[in-house]
């Protein structure tokens, strides 16, 4: 997904629209004693879901995913 030209274009457009640098839209933490994992902006999560599964483009599925992503991201402390 991250190697696709369309993903790069999407991230650049989203960065421009939100004022968040591309590196802030996808944050990966590896190694060390701190928490590890990957956080993505909720709109990146939706785009990724659409890429993974055509069914995710269904409005009900996308809305449900968005609610879950927002709920999850509100529980995280990524600032």
């Amino acid at each position: 997904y991250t190697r696709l030209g369309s993903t790069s274009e999407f991230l650049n457009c989203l960065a421009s629209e939100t004022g968040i640098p591309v590196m802030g839209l996808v944050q990966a933490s590896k190694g060390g004693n701190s928490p590890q994992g990957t956080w993505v902006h909720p709109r990146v999560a939706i785009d990724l879901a659409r890429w993974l599964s055509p069914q995710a483009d269904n409005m009900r599925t996308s809305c449900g995913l968005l609610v879950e992503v927002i709920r999850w991201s509100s529980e995280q402390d990524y600032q």
Side-chain angles (χ1 to χ4, degrees):
Y1 171 79
T2 58
R3 294 179 182 159
L4 297 172
S6 58
T7 300
S8 179
E9 185 177 333
F10 171 76
L11 292 174
N12 287 323
C13 287
L14 184 59
S16 177
E17 182 182 315
T18 62
I20 301 170
V22 170
M23 297 203 52
L25 296 172
V26 178
Q27 300 173 14
S29 301
K30 295 188 228 179
N33 293 326
S34 62
Q36 300 178 41
T38 302
W39 176 89
V40 297
H41 185 278
R43 287 180 51 194
V44 175
I46 300 268
D47 190 60
L48 176 59
R50 287 179 176 151
W51 177 75
L52 287 170
S53 170
Q55 289 81 10
D57 207 16
N58 175 296
M59 183 58 120
R60 187 174 339 134
T61 304
S62 294
C63 289
L65 175 62
L66 181 58
V67 168
E68 290 301 316
V69 168
I70 290 171
R71 184 178 302 137
W72 179 84
S73 64
S74 68
E75 296 170 358
Q76 306 306 306
D77 186 22
Y78 288 98
Q79 296 298 336

